[in-house]
Amino acid sequence: TPNEAQTEKIVTDAMGHEVTIPADPQRILASYLEDHLVALGIKPVAQWSIGPESVQDYLQGDLKGIPIISYDLPLEAVASFSPDLILIGSESQVQKGLYEQYAKIAPTYVIGDEINKDWRKTLLKIGELLGKTEAAEQALKDYDQKVADTKA
């Protein structure tokens, strides 16, 4: 539905946190989940990196000019980007009280290893969270078509 993205929603993440997803988040931080955002036509507020040189090269056509953030998501760096939604791939990334710290900065949703180990499920989950389910399903169809064409 066209209105799918217009209302905020309360969802439960992989760790059991109730998270209020904003109606139309504009400043999403999703470190190492950028592929999925790009597939949905969304530019993140910062992109994953290991040091200043090591980014995901194949995404640079889409992420040109997007500043980098260290893979371990230092709190000060996260805060400096003023995200309105933080998506985290794995439970292991928010241990030792880090989740609570990120959640003070912005709503923080942990996708969790169970879903995150399957890129298709991850794309569909992020699409669902952001009100872009149709775009996620279309991206998967396009991908499958490309695979079929390549095989042929």
Side-chain angles (χ1 to χ4, degrees):
T1 57
N3 292 338
E4 192 183 6
Q6 298 314 308
T7 55
E8 72 175 29
K9 53 183 164 253
I10 297 174
V11 293
T12 303
D13 76 0
M15 296 177 76
H17 306 117
E18 276 203 353
V19 183
T20 301
I21 305 289
D24 188 17
Q26 298 297 310
R27 300 183 58 78
I28 301 171
L29 180 61
S31 184
Y32 214 61
L33 296 167
E34 290 90 355
D35 302 65
H36 308 293
L37 294 185
V38 166
L40 297 172
I42 297 169
K43 290 220 189 282
V45 72
Q47 63 174 314
W48 176 94
S49 73
I50 297 181
E53 299 307 314
S54 184
V55 293
Q56 296 169 92
D57 290 335
Y58 66 96
L59 287 175
Q60 294 315 299
D62 293 295
L63 298 181
K64 191 168 173 53
I66 302 287
I68 60 170
I69 189 166
S70 177
Y71 71 96
D72 56 350
L73 297 179
L75 287 166
E76 308 71 40
V78 170
S80 76
F81 286 108
S82 306
D84 55 11
L85 178 63
I86 301 170
L87 299 177
I88 301 283
S90 171
E91 293 89 341
S92 64
Q93 294 172 268
V94 291
Q95 299 302 326
K96 300 187 178 110
L98 265 180
Y99 179 86
E100 291 69 21
Q101 298 291 316
Y102 292 139
K104 284 180 188 162
I105 297 169
T108 301
Y109 185 96
V110 180
I111 291 167
D113 295 328
E114 188 59 34
I115 289 176
N116 198 34
K117 69 183 179 198
D118 180 330
W119 68 267
R120 290 171 182 271
K121 288 182 183 169
T122 304
L123 178 61
L124 291 170
K125 174 55 75 180
I126 292 175
E128 177 193 319
L129 293 173
L130 301 179
K132 294 187 178 290
T133 298
E134 285 172 23
E137 289 168 351
Q138 188 59 52
L140 289 177
K141 279 186 195 135
D142 293 347
Y143 175 83
D144 290 336
Q145 186 61 53
K146 198 173 190 176
V147 169
D149 292 347
T150 304
K151 281 182 180 168

